[in-house]
Each structure stands twice: as C-alpha cells, then as structure tokens.
Amino acid sequence: MTLRLTTLALLLAACGGGASGSFGPMYPDNQQSSIDSVLGRLQANPAPSPTAVAVGLTGAPHQLYAVDLETGAISWKVPVDTPASGPQIGGDLVFLHETRGVVARDLASGAERFVVEDDALHLAGAGGEGDWSVLALTTGGGVGARSKLVIARRGSVKHDLEIPHALGAPTVAAGMVFVPWATQNLTVLDAVTADEIARVRVTDTSLARAFRVGNDLYFGQRGVFRLTPSIVSGARAESAYFEPMAREIPGNPTLMVDPYRPAPTPDSAVHSIRFAWRPAGSGETLHFADETVYAVFYRFVFALDPNADAVRWVYAHPEDIVGAVAQDGGLTVADEAGGLAFLGAQDGLRRWSASVDATPTVVAIRPGDHVPTGAPEGEAMSLHDQLLAAAQNTDARLVPARKMAVHMLHALEEPDVTAHLITLCDDQRAPAPVRTEACGRLAERTTGAEHVIAALERHDRYLTNTEAGPIGALAQAAVAMEATEAAPSLIAHLVDPSTPAAALAPLLDSLRALEAADAAEPVRNFLRLYHAEVEGDAMLAAMSAAAQTALALDADPAVELLETLSADSLAPGPVRGKLTDALEAYRAAQAEAEAAEGEEETEEAEEGEEAEEEEASDEPPPIPERVTLPMVQAALEDVRTPMAACLANDSQHPRSARIVLVLAGDGSVQLVTINPQSVQQCLEPLIRSADFPANSNDARQQLTYTFRR
Amino acid sequence: MRMKTITHHATGATLLALAALTMSAPVSAQEMRFDEAVELVQSSDPDSIRLGLETLGARAEARAVAPIAARIRSGLPAELTELAVTTLAVMERPEAGPVLIELLSHRRPSVRLAAIEAIAATKPRQGGEALMRALDDMTPSVRAAAALALGQIGHRAAIDTLFTALERDVLEAAQAIGQLALPTHMDRLFDHVGQMPFDVLTPAFNELFARSDFPDRAKIDLIGRLAELATPQVKTYLTELADQLPSGRVKSAATEAAERIPG
C-alpha cells in the first residue's frame, strides 16, 4: 500500500510531533554531556549487518533494479517515472526522486511504500540502518531555505518535519537521526520522538553529510569528522578529523557530493567522476581505509595516497563506471553495461566480478559486509606501465585523466619513465594537453639521461623513415639531468634544417646551461648565417637565445660578432633589436660586476686597514686557488630558504634551477643565468646578495650550480 | 633522345637563365675590377651585392669563389643567398664545393635546392656523398633535386641509395638510376616492375636506351624482358622507342618486340 503524504499532513506532523524546538536557534551546541550520551547509544547499539545490495537506474525506459551482491543476480526490477536523481539506499528502503515526488520502495522487493511530495525541493540525501530510514529534501542555500525531513520505520513514515534551514544528507544510527544542516551544524534527533538530543556546531569547515561505518558516526564535506568526545571543541584541529590533500583531479570532483546544491541528474557525469573512500582508524585517530582515496574518472580508477601527490595503481575498466564504493580492502564498482567488480586496494586487480542484464546510468551500492576474497585476475603491471597505458588511452573524453596519468608518471623516479615521457611528448596523435604535459614533465626529469641522449641522437631521415624526438623538451631535460654529454647531439640538431624553429630557443638555452664550449663556434655561425633572413617569432626567439648563448660560452668573439650583426642594415629591425638587447644586457652585467669589484676593493682596503690596526697579528683567511661548487653552495646557504620559495612559487614549480654563475677573481658576481628562465627575476637578486669567495689566481670563473629545493 | 618523363628537370633551366643574365650584364659590370666587385659583394646594399655577384659570376675566376662563399657565410637575405649560390653554379668552379655542401643544411629549402643544383653544375669533390645525404632531406623537392643531380654528376656509388629512394617514392630517382645503372643492376630494376606504375620506371628505361656506354646486348635483353610483360602500355612504349632509336640491332629488337605483343 502506498501512502501519499500531502502538505497538510506534513504540517500536522510537524506541528504535532515531538520535534518542536528541534533545529531551533536556542538549542545548545557542543555539549559534552549530550555528545557523550549519543556516543554511549552508538556503542551500545552496533550497526546491524545490512544486506549487500546495489540499486541501479537505467536510462529510458527507466527501470530501477536491485542486485544481490552475494549472488550477483538481479533480485527485482520495476519501471519508474522520469527520475530527477539517482537512487539512494537508506535502511530497508531505496529512495528515488521521480515526477510525483520521492518514492520509497522496499529494498528487498521493490514494492512501493510511500511517496513524499517534493514541494519543489531537491533530494539532499537519504540514509538509515536496520528498519529505520531517513530522507531530506531541501532548497539548499541560506536565507529563505526550507527543507523536509522524513523519518520512516519498517516502510512507514514516523515523522515528517518541515525545517526552515537547508539540510544535508542525513542518516540513522542506533535509533538516532543525524542531520547536517546550514553547513555548520549536525543535529541528533531521537528517531522515535524526533526530539533534538544533541547538536554539534563546527565553525571552521562545512558539514554536509552524515553516515555510519562500523560503530562510528562520521560527518563532514571537504574532510570527515568522526563523532568523538573531542567534537565539543567545534574545530577541526581539536577533533577527530581527516582531510586528504588537495590536488587537481580531472573534472574537479569533491570529496563528498554537495547535498545543498540540486541533486545530480541520473545521467550526470558526477556519477562517473567522483572520489570513493572509507574512513578508518579508531578513537581520535582518523584516516582512510587502506590509506587510499579512489578517484574515478569514467573508465579509470586512480588509487591515490590521501596524504601525498602519489598514486598506488591505475585501473582501466572496460566500460564507464557509474557507481563506486570503497570498502576495507578495495573498491566495488558498477558500470554502465551492468557489470560489477571488486578491485583489490593493494594492486587494483579484480577479485570478483558479476554482470546483470541492465544498462544503468547510475548505481548506488551498499556492500555491507560483502568483501570478495577471490584470487586476483591476472598480474599487476608495473605502476609506470599502468600510467603509460592510461596516458595513451584513445578515448577523447579521458584527456584530463590522461594528462593526470602523465603528471603522476613524472613523479616516478625510474629512468624508464623518461623514455615513456619522450614517447608521449613525441606522439603527434596525442591531444595537445597530453603532449604539453608530457613535454613539460620531460623537461623536468632528472633521471634517465641515457634515454634522453639516445632520443637526441635521432634525426629526421626520410629514407629510413626516422623522426627526431621532441628536441626542445629533450634539450631541457638534458639540462635538468646535467647531461653534458648531450651537447654534441644538441649541436647537431642546431645545424639540422629539420629541427623545428620552435625547438631552437630551448636548444640554444640548453647549450648555454650545459656550458657546451664546443657549441660556441656553431652558435656564432648560426647567428651569422640567419641574422639577415629571420622570419617568424620562433626564429626571432632563437636569435635572441643564440646571442645570449654565444656571449655566455665565449664572450669576446661573441661581442665582436654581435656588434657587427646588430649594425647590419640587411638584418630585419627586430633581429637587430634582439641582438642589441643581448649585448646591452651583457655589458650592463659587466659594468655591474666591475662596480661591485671596485666597491669591494675599497671595502677590503678599509677593512684591511682596520684589521691591521686592531689585530696586526691575525692571519688573513686563505684564498682558494679556485672557487668550487661546495663553496658556492656554502655562500648561498643564507638565502637558501627564499631561493626555495622562488621555485615553489613559480607557476611551473620547478624542483631545481640550473644557475650559471660568472664570478670575477675577487668573487664578485658578473653574470647570473638561470634555467628555467621564469625564476631568473626572483633568484638573481638573492644570488647576487650572497658573498662568494675570491680566488688566488684572480681569474674569472664560470660555474654551473644546480639548486634544488 | 628523351622520352616522356614524369618530372620537371629544373636544374638546367635555372642555370641557363642565370647564364643568359650574366651574358647580358651591364658593360660596367663586365669591366669592373675584381677587387671592386668583391667590395660590392661585401657591402650591405642589396643592389650593390647583386652587381658584385654578377660581375664575379661573369668572370668565373677561381679566386672569385672565396669572397662569394664568405659573403654567403656572413649572412644574407634569402633572395641574395640564392643568387649567390646560383652565381657559384654558373661559375662551375669546384672550389665552391665546401660552401655549397654546407648549404645543404640551410634551414630554407629553396637555398638547399639551389645548392644542389650548384653542386650538380660544379661537381666538387665530396659532392656525390653530400647529394646522397640530401636524398634523406625531409623536403620532397630537395630530395627530387638531389636524385636528379646524382644522375647528372654520374655518382655511381649512389645507385643503392637511389633504389632505396625510389622505393620510398622519390620518383626522380628512376631517371638517375637509368643514368647510372650497370647491366648487373637490371634484375633489381625489374624487381620494381609491377610494384610501381610503369610510367614511374620509364625515365630509367629512357636513360638506359639513350646511353652510349650501356651495352647493346644489355639493351636488347632489357627489351626482351619488357616484352615478356606483354601489356598494352609496354607495346606502346616499345613502339615509340623503336621510332626514336637509330637503325641497328636495338631498334630492330624493339620493333619486333612491339609487334609480338598482341593488341
């Protein structure tokens, strides 16, 4: 029998029930005694073992069906009206927001139990345990918000409350109803009387969903609280609270779907782009089960470390995933073709699978105690092979996930990863975001130099159908790896006409950073040959880089050449401008160095006089024959922290910077060139502020130092 | 004799045009002193550079190569670089080899193309090896010019590479193969019959039948192998060949072979 609740009935229930005062402004929050009482009831009434079930909703013609996860078979299937949301399981009922309202059906049989008119509210959520169920409908929002809270037992409505606040997703546990509301509150009602018996108020984060796992009650939104005595603090830091690290995930899913916003439609991508996780720990210690948060993106599942930018495994499902729930030991997923599978938390291999004759757009899963223990199917690939396979997936929708796979691939130190990144960076068929990510990450690699060298040895050759690698990114990687042995190959690419113009500037920058002395003459020849016929921005950038490199590698002949070329009326104006800029920058650096040298000499003379006067017997500190890299490192020690901040705050977040430093004989800084160039402006003044030692030969020295944060 | 060919042979036309230009150079250019011409070439004025190049090109002296090469290396706008290269081609001085070979790595394909034509005209040492490398160029017109130039300079060491180029669709390689092949290469040439359109290979056959250094016995053998194909296309080809060949054994063989093919 279906009971249809009208607005009048609701009003009567609200006015006549025992809930007067509930959700009121005067109710005291964060009271130790009431919290302790609630905790006592939770401990005294362990959660009953629920049936393991998945409830799916198909596309048109819409059907709702339940699958017994123990048997893998459909236990019932019923037609439904046009749905406005996905199904939600609560206790012994399953709720679906349809045209006529929120319809409650018996979870065991699919039989309709009652309908709640929606009054233009959206279904915020539903929950329950045993024969208790609760659902919340809400407008969301703040001022003028209104909601309905319906508490049912054994398929019948017991309380139907109207609440003048926005409600989150509630649950029932140990005969109590836990209702997040107005983003900062968690009200606990006695399920029988609907009287408020406790209230939690948290002021430094939002509360949106409540649910029970084991004997504990959890709630939260961006992070998760366990209800413990410490919650009386009302603050995350002093409570049992865990929030995984923030990271960029394709589709930007939130840890929990926001119930204050209109519920996702049944075919929303939210069901396929989401996190799955399960709280674990005890007492005041809270973490995620298996130390994993699962990020689902259509067919991919990334098992992520909740605390670090690291991935444990990547799983590619044959169909789009439309439902997922984390359990101890793994993840149960449901797909759009009616498939179900359980993935082991440690390796992402399937331990169990089933398939039913249905094509759902969304599936709600309540696994209960059903944790498959079957043997894994197949053998796990290495993580970098998993990531490479994900990065090379050809599904156009998965580009953001492919990009994320590349990002994660880069985090692995194995040298072979460099080879994979070269392949991805060089894949002309790959979407631009994936290639750009791969090339960017390749340029930052610090391991796998042998792969970079091998790739740089390849040139475009028509007869052998050979193609050069991504030269610009390879050149930058060679710098990050300090692979000076790459210089001959880079020079060969400089004079190869098939080297793309866009690769020339990074190539020339790399020759400079690698201090490739043998490149000085080829670079000057390049400047000479092309200065009068430059076309396009890429060649203009190359000329600028060539001028800087020529000056850095062998200053005197470069100055002479640039003076000639910048005065050549045959050269286009922009080229002459770039060459002049390079010359002027070099001269300014020289002048600055000379001025600093002069000042230092004066200071030294004054200090020397003072020292002689004061401590005539003191020996001067020994001056080294040459300045060494450890000396540079020691000199930079005082500015190490702000230098690290320069790298961290840069948009590319480089892990290291290669610093080419030209020191005068007295230790004064004549020139500072930094790769990547984006951190030059930030790092250079810090480096120039450091005191470098002089050398006893009074010789100009060029040093290359890699600073790592 | 040149039968129908599928490529346009630009090299000769370009050189002829430049030769005509040089012949018609102003009297003042012809009479200009060598060092004055060099000075013009070294200037930064495009018109002066052109005049200087014309003058040096007309004199075609070995000592003129060095200043032109130096001017190319010191950097010119593309148009002047190409003019300087073509000037070197007209001079036909093998001393221009080093700079021309360097220019096979120039970023501008038109300069590489001009350098190839100049190498074909000047036949410098190492020119053949350089042209073989140019067969690997990623620009089709450069590869085509390199193939033709290899045949033109008679660089027989390139024959294997030319076959590879032909297999990689450098169709101009067929003509060069015809200019360079020995009778021992005929089996390899015939391996390509049936694998690529007959028209692609006819430039090779044309060159072979036109060569006086290719033995008549080998030519007659070639006609026999063509006749075995017995296609209408081959019949037409052999008929036209017979019409153009001078009287003799080869002509007779071509005539008989064409008549034997039905249709």
Side-chain angles (χ1 to χ4, degrees):
Chain A
M1 185 186 78
T2 299
L3 173 66
R4 191 171 184 83
L5 297 174
T6 63
T7 304
L8 178 62
L10 282 171
L11 284 171
L12 287 172
C15 296
S20 55
S22 298
F23 300 93
M26 305 306 290
Y27 193 90
D29 54 42
N30 299 340
Q31 297 295 300
Q32 191 72 65
S33 58
S34 57
I35 299 294
D36 287 346
S37 172
V38 169
L39 288 169
R41 284 179 67 174
L42 283 169
Q43 293 306 312
N45 297 279
S49 181
T51 53
V53 64
V55 179
L57 175 67
T58 69
H62 301 288
Q63 289 186 307
L64 195 68
Y65 66 92
V67 179
D68 181 335
L69 293 179
E70 299 289 350
T71 64
I74 290 179
S75 47
W76 53 262
K77 185 184 279 188
V78 296
V80 298
D81 292 342
T82 303
S85 70
Q88 304 215 21
I89 299 169
D92 55 1
L93 299 175
V94 57
F95 300 95
L96 185 67
H97 194 172
E98 301 173 41
T99 313
R100 56 199 170 113
V102 177
V103 182
R105 291 182 176 84
D106 183 72
L107 189 57
S109 66
E112 194 169 308
R113 293 301 185 214
F114 60 85
V115 178
V116 178
E117 286 185 357
D118 64 23
D119 291 344
L121 307 174
H122 71 257
L123 179 60
E129 68 178 21
D131 53 9
W132 283 101
S133 304
V134 61
L135 75 92
L137 287 152
T138 188
T139 55
V143 177
R146 61 189 177 89
S147 304
K148 280 184 185 181
L149 185 71
V150 177
I151 302 167
R153 187 172 196 190
R154 298 191 193 103
S156 299
V157 173
K158 296 300 177 192
H159 300 282
D160 203 327
L161 312 176
E162 287 209 340
I163 315 292
H165 303 288
L167 297 189
T171 195
V172 183
M176 297 174 283
V177 181
F178 295 81
V179 190
W181 58 279
T183 72
Q184 290 191 320
N185 307 285
L186 178 75
T187 274
V188 187
L189 306 175
D190 183 280
V192 175
T193 65
D195 286 333
E196 186 161 8
I197 56 174
R199 183 182 296 182
V200 170
R201 180 174 164 81
V202 173
T203 54
D204 58 359
T205 187
S206 53
L207 307 181
R209 291 183 170 271
F211 53 96
R212 190 180 197 185
V213 173
N215 286 341
D216 292 317
L217 194 288
Y218 297 89
F219 54 98
Q221 186 169 25
R222 281 195 288 271
V224 60
F225 290 92
R226 177 185 295 124
L227 189 67
T228 68
S230 65
I231 196 64
V232 296
S233 67
R236 288 177 296 175
E238 295 163 48
S239 306
Y241 178 79
F242 179 73
E243 186 173 329
M245 69 167 285
R247 69 185 96 209
E248 279 188 27
I249 295 289
N252 297 315
T254 51
L255 190 65
M256 304 183 206
V257 175
D258 186 354
Y260 298 115
R261 298 171 64 87
T265 56
D267 56 356
S268 167
V270 166
H271 308 303
S272 296
I273 303 174
R274 52 173 297 174
F275 284 118
W277 47 274
R278 178 181 170 90
S282 60
E284 299 297 325
T285 305
L286 180 53
H287 55 88
F288 282 175
D290 302 301
E291 294 300 333
T292 301
V293 56
Y294 304 92
V296 175
F297 192 83
Y298 294 107
R299 296 180 178 201
F300 286 132
V301 179
F302 293 88
L304 306 173
D305 185 330
N307 301 303
D309 190 13
V311 61
R312 302 192 194 293
W313 46 260
V314 183
Y315 167 79
H317 196 67
E319 306 286 346
D320 282 3
I321 293 168
V322 293
V325 63
Q327 299 168 245
D328 284 328
L331 178 77
T332 297
V333 296
D335 67 45
E336 62 181 353
L340 292 149
F342 178 78
L343 313 175
Q346 296 309 313
D347 50 24
L349 293 177
R350 284 200 281 194
R351 258 72 176 178
W352 170 85
S353 58
S355 183
V356 297
D357 182 18
T359 53
T361 59
V362 54
V363 176
I365 304 169
R366 186 178 70 185
D369 298 328
H370 174 70
V371 180
T373 54
E377 293 177 19
E379 289 185 11
M381 291 192 294
S382 68
L383 178 56
H384 68 252
D385 282 342
Q386 293 175 22
L387 288 166
L388 180 65
Q392 291 178 323
N393 192 293
T394 55
D395 189 332
R397 296 169 310 155
L398 305 182
V399 167
R402 294 172 63 183
K403 188 178 163 191
M404 186 169 91
V406 173
H407 171 83
M408 291 170 167
L409 195 56
H410 168 60
L412 306 180
E413 292 290 330
E414 290 100 311
D416 284 353
V417 169
T418 301
H420 294 327
L421 288 171
I422 292 170
T423 303
L424 291 165
C425 173
D426 203 23
D427 185 356
Q428 304 294 326
R429 295 163 303 173
V434 176
R435 284 191 69 202
T436 303
E437 180 76 14
C439 294
R441 298 303 174 190
L442 171 60
E444 296 171 356
R445 294 294 293 174
T446 54
T447 59
E450 64 275 23
H451 298 295
V452 170
I453 302 293
L456 278 172
E457 283 169 1
R458 283 199 332 260
H459 286 253
D460 282 346
R461 293 286 177 262
Y462 178 77
L463 294 184
T464 50
N465 201 20
T466 308
E467 290 184 359
I471 298 164
L474 288 168
Q476 290 168 321
V479 174
M481 295 168 182
E482 302 180 20
T484 52
E485 65 272 33
S489 297
L490 292 171
I491 295 169
H493 282 292
L494 177 65
V495 297
D496 187 331
S498 57
T499 299
L504 289 171
L507 186 157
L508 285 154
D509 288 341
S510 300
L511 287 170
R512 179 167 74 247
L514 290 170
E515 300 174 58
D518 289 348
E521 190 175 342
V523 172
R524 289 196 298 271
N525 290 341
F526 177 88
L527 279 164
R528 219 178 265 122
L529 189 60
Y530 296 113
H531 78 279
E533 61 159 291
V534 168
E535 280 179 7
D537 291 344
M539 273 304 281
L540 192 59
M543 294 307 284
S544 178
Q548 294 172 53
T549 300
L551 286 164
L553 296 180
D554 193 358
D556 291 345
V559 168
E560 191 180 336
L561 176 64
L562 292 174
E563 283 173 345
T564 303
L565 301 185
S566 60
D568 186 354
S569 60
L570 289 172
V575 176
R576 295 168 64 183
K578 290 287 183 191
L579 302 184
T580 304
D581 289 349
L583 259 179
E584 285 178 357
Y586 174 77
R587 284 175 176 145
Q590 291 285 85
E592 194 179 321
E594 282 168 17
E597 190 177 353
E599 283 175 20
E600 201 164 308
E601 276 173 8
T602 308
E603 284 174 13
E604 278 175 5
E606 288 171 359
E607 284 170 7
E609 283 170 16
E610 286 171 11
E612 276 176 26
E613 286 170 9
E614 293 173 8
E615 298 178 48
S617 61
D618 274 2
E619 290 286 328
I623 298 176
E625 281 188 19
R626 321 181 23 85
V627 178
T628 62
L629 288 179
M631 293 175 190
V632 171
Q633 187 171 5
L636 292 173
E637 196 55 40
D638 286 346
V639 291
R640 179 171 180 75
T641 303
M643 285 177 70
C646 286
L647 301 193
N649 296 335
D650 184 69
S651 61
Q652 301 296 316
H653 312 302
R655 292 180 172 185
S656 62
R658 189 176 174 84
I659 301 163
V660 178
L661 194 61
V662 179
L663 298 177
D666 63 356
S668 61
V669 179
Q670 290 187 331
L671 187 70
V672 180
T673 307
I674 301 167
N675 191 293
Q677 288 183 336
S678 58
V679 295
Q680 174 100 25
Q681 196 175 359
C682 184
L683 284 182
E684 183 169 349
L686 295 170
I687 294 165
R688 286 187 180 278
S689 71
D691 289 322
F692 297 96
N695 66 72
S696 60
N697 296 323
D698 196 28
R700 182 173 177 269
Q701 263 190 269
Q702 180 169 315
L703 297 115
T704 303
Y705 171 67
T706 301
F707 174 75
R708 293 188 170 83
R709 63 184 165 107
Chain B
M1 180 196 73
R2 284 292 181 273
M3 302 286 287
K4 177 176 65 176
T5 59
I6 60 164
T7 59
H8 174 64
H9 191 176
T11 307
T14 308
L15 297 182
L16 281 172
L18 190 82
L21 177 75
T22 309
M23 294 297 287
S24 65
V27 174
S28 59
Q30 299 281 9
E31 292 174 350
M32 192 181 298
R33 287 199 347 248
F34 177 80
D35 51 355
E36 287 173 336
V38 169
E39 200 172 319
L40 287 176
V41 166
Q42 289 170 342
S43 77
S44 289
D45 175 58
D47 289 337
S48 300
I49 294 169
R50 278 190 205 94
L51 182 59
L53 287 171
E54 271 178 25
T55 305
L56 293 177
R59 297 170 73 115
E61 296 173 39
R63 62 175 177 157
V65 170
I68 297 175
R71 191 64 186 93
I72 290 170
R73 290 182 176 119
S74 67
L76 287 168
E79 172 219 351
L80 290 176
T81 302
E82 288 173 37
L83 181 65
V85 173
T86 312
T87 302
L88 291 173
V90 171
M91 290 166 65
E92 295 186 4
R93 305 295 313 191
E95 294 87 345
V99 71
L100 295 175
I101 290 170
E102 282 170 35
L103 290 173
L104 294 181
S105 296
H106 197 279
R107 293 190 62 78
R108 198 176 285 275
S110 59
V111 173
R112 303 204 294 278
L113 200 57
I116 286 170
E117 292 173 351
I119 289 171
T122 56
K123 299 182 177 62
R125 279 173 51 191
Q126 311 301 325
E129 287 76 11
L131 291 172
M132 284 170 66
R133 288 194 296 276
L135 284 173
D136 245 338
D137 198 287
M138 298 307 283
T139 303
S141 60
V142 175
R143 292 195 298 270
L148 293 171
L150 281 164
Q152 207 173 337
I153 67 170
H155 190 65
R156 189 155 281 147
I159 192 81
D160 283 342
T161 311
L162 284 165
F163 270 115
T164 304
L166 182 63
E167 287 152 13
R168 292 277 290 138
D169 292 333
V170 182
L171 305 185
E172 292 76 4
Q175 182 173 327
I177 289 169
Q179 290 167 325
L180 301 175
L182 299 172
T184 51
H185 294 122
M186 289 305 100
D187 284 347
R188 187 167 181 188
L189 180 61
F190 252 82
D191 284 346
H192 294 80
V193 175
Q195 292 181 10
M196 48 183 59
F198 188 70
D199 276 358
V200 170
L201 297 172
T202 52
F205 300 136
N206 292 341
E207 294 294 341
L208 287 165
F209 288 121
R211 277 169 54 187
S212 57
D213 65 337
F214 196 71
D216 281 356
R217 181 184 298 276
K219 290 177 183 172
I220 292 167
D221 183 51
L222 179 57
I223 288 168
R225 296 177 74 166
L226 287 172
E228 285 172 12
L229 299 173
T231 64
Q233 209 174 6
V234 171
K235 181 179 177 70
T236 304
Y237 177 76
L238 289 174
T239 303
E240 290 177 3
L241 177 68
D243 289 346
Q244 295 181 44
L245 286 171
S247 298
R249 290 191 302 158
V250 179
K251 183 183 179 80
S252 301
T255 305
E256 289 168 15
E259 287 171 353
R260 279 205 306 274
I261 298 172

